[in-house]
Amino acid sequence: MTIFSALSTFVLTRAARSQLNRVVFGLMRRIFEFILRFTNTYEQRDQIMAYYSPISLIMLVPVWYALIMLGYAAMYWSLDVGDWFADIRYSGSSLLTLGFATSENPFVTILSFSEALIGLILVALLMAYLPTMYAAFSRREQAVSMLEVRAGNPPSALEMLLRFNRIHGLDKLNEYWKTWEIWFADIEESHTTLPALVFFRSPRSDNSWITAAGAVLDAAAITVSAVDIPADVSASLSIRAGYLALRRIADYFDIPNPQNPNYPNDPISITREEFDELLSKLEVAGVPLKADREKAWLDFAGWRVNYDRVLLVLCKLVMAPQAPWSSDRVQRFKMPPMFIFKKKHKAPQRTWP
């Protein structure tokens, strides 16, 4: 179990859930949730939660070492190295390559060498792992920071469309959707193979990768459904890349979410009044809009339903800052289970997180 946990964390190039990793991160999350009870502001909670993922990640190493030491101690006990204290002492000496405990038994010596090798490999893998993680983090945050220039802070679909219309021209949106399609593909790969990245917080407390994703998805959905510009598949492809990425991240954490939702059978958290108010503001600013508002609403809801629930639950999971049409409407949320169950979760009847 320990070796599998290390391999799935450091080496495997695809998403693989480790029960041991889940327990460590789950226990640490519950400890942090208890500490957060003594905070009063979001800034205080953000400062505390910034340490959650790094501490949990570092805690994996001593947990791995402790379990390897106990496992080898049991093997030394079976070879009559000594009593339990002597076995654990010999195991610790071998694992940490201290060398103060030795044995003339050839089988014990072979085990001792293999244990020392495992200890060295874990250290080497950790040294190679952190640069890879921070490179993925840097790519993610670069796009999040650049979005502030185009979508404001907190990011919103309304502000993004207004600024593009005023500064760049709406025809420039097509290239921008392609950029975010690539970004969504990147976070799907990095945030499932390196799941600790999901909880790494942005350098600024008012930024978050998940609220940035929500703003871009909403802007693309509004553009496709309501903005009267020449049709282009880039926005639709960006939305699809986005909701698939968010669903797969949620699936990794065993968070139930509908896989094939459809509107109006599955409602969304955005009301018709909110949608009409947004269109009115766009119209006042001179953004060309389609005449049929009813069809525009149905088209928007048809896109939004694909990512509505998963966006909200991920906002709550990472404790995202307030942003319109995403983290501002999260109400309640059940933490993912600490233990992995083989039984497949069924999509729940719609209840807001």
Side-chain angles (χ1 to χ4, degrees):
M1 181 178 66
T2 306
I3 296 299
F4 175 79
S5 173
L7 288 175
S8 63
T9 302
F10 288 149
V11 182
L12 200 64
T13 57
R14 62 173 59 183
R17 298 182 298 176
S18 164
Q19 181 67 77
L20 182 56
N21 291 18
R22 197 180 187 94
V23 169
V24 171
F25 272 78
L27 284 174
M28 292 302 301
R29 179 59 180 262
R30 283 153 179 81
I31 292 173
F32 272 77
E33 291 275 2
F34 176 76
I35 296 173
L36 292 178
R37 295 180 182 180
F38 303 97
T39 61
N40 298 317
T41 65
Y42 173 77
E43 286 72 22
Q44 292 175 334
R45 292 192 293 272
D46 178 76
Q47 290 176 1
I48 293 172
M49 287 302 296
Y51 290 93
Y52 163 64
S53 192
I55 290 177
S56 301
L57 192 61
I58 293 300
M59 281 299 298
L60 284 175
V61 178
V63 169
W64 288 336
Y65 270 61
L67 292 176
I68 290 171
M69 183 177 68
L70 290 174
Y72 270 93
M75 289 188 276
Y76 296 140
W77 174 80
S78 70
L79 295 173
D80 294 323
V81 171
D83 58 22
W84 266 107
F85 178 77
D87 295 331
I88 292 176
R89 184 172 180 270
Y90 189 87
S91 180
S93 172
S94 301
L95 179 63
L96 302 176
T97 63
L98 299 176
F100 60 76
T102 60
S103 173
E104 299 298 326
N105 187 317
F107 296 106
V108 174
T109 301
I110 292 173
L111 285 177
S112 178
F113 286 168
S114 68
E115 186 177 10
L117 181 62
I118 289 175
L120 291 173
I121 289 175
L122 287 179
V123 172
L125 289 176
L126 179 62
M127 293 174 64
Y129 174 79
L130 291 179
T132 302
M133 170 171 283
Y134 280 99
F137 174 80
S138 179
R139 291 195 306 271
R140 185 190 81 183
E141 291 304 313
Q142 183 182 38
V144 172
S145 297
M146 291 177 63
L147 182 66
E148 182 177 353
V149 179
R150 296 168 173 82
N153 189 14
S156 72
L158 172 63
E159 189 64 27
M160 181 176 170
L161 293 175
L162 290 176
R163 291 190 183 188
F164 260 94
N165 182 60
R166 184 170 62 249
I167 301 173
H168 303 286
L170 295 175
D171 57 316
K172 299 296 184 182
L173 279 170
N174 294 334
E175 291 300 319
Y176 199 58
W177 303 138
K178 295 175 183 177
T179 300
W180 279 86
E181 181 185 351
I182 296 171
W183 185 86
F184 282 124
D186 187 30
I187 66 162
E188 178 189 338
E189 182 272 331
S190 60
H191 287 50
T192 54
T193 57
L194 305 171
L197 270 176
V198 172
F199 303 101
F200 270 66
R201 306 185 75 80
S202 296
R204 290 177 48 182
S205 63
D206 50 1
N207 284 346
S208 173
W209 68 271
I210 186 61
T211 56
V216 172
L217 287 171
D218 282 336
I222 293 167
T223 300
V224 172
S225 60
V227 179
D228 191 13
I229 57 176
D232 188 274
V233 297
S234 300
S236 301
L237 292 176
S238 183
I239 298 171
R240 179 167 174 79
Y243 72 69
L244 288 177
L246 298 186
R247 283 182 191 176
R248 285 164 185 167
I249 293 171
D251 289 340
Y252 180 89
F253 291 99
D254 274 348
I255 299 176
N257 62 93
Q259 297 299 305
N260 294 293
N262 62 86
Y263 183 84
N265 295 331
D266 294 283
I268 62 174
S269 59
I270 309 300
T271 65
R272 175 66 186 272
E273 290 73 20
E274 288 177 306
F275 180 74
D276 287 339
E277 181 182 358
L278 182 142
L279 292 190
S280 297
K281 292 179 180 178
L282 292 177
E283 188 175 34
V284 169
V287 176
L289 299 176
K290 296 177 181 178
D292 191 343
R293 295 291 178 89
E294 182 65 27
K295 185 176 186 303
W297 162 249
L298 293 175
D299 288 345
F300 170 77
W303 283 112
R304 170 85 189 197
V305 74
N306 289 289
Y307 60 88
D308 186 84
R309 175 174 170 79
V310 70
L311 173 66
L312 300 187
V313 296
L314 288 177
C315 282
K316 185 61 177 178
L317 180 67
V318 304
M319 292 188 179
Q322 286 288 318
W325 289 22
S326 56
S327 55
D328 64 339
R329 57 202 63 224
V330 174
Q331 297 178 0
R332 59 184 184 275
F333 173 71
K334 183 178 180 181
M335 287 291 296
M338 287 179 57
F339 296 93
I340 299 172
F341 300 101
K342 292 183 179 180
K343 184 177 179 180
K344 186 71 174 177
H345 285 292
K346 293 183 178 180
Q349 298 298 317
R350 180 62 109 178
T351 55
W352 292 121

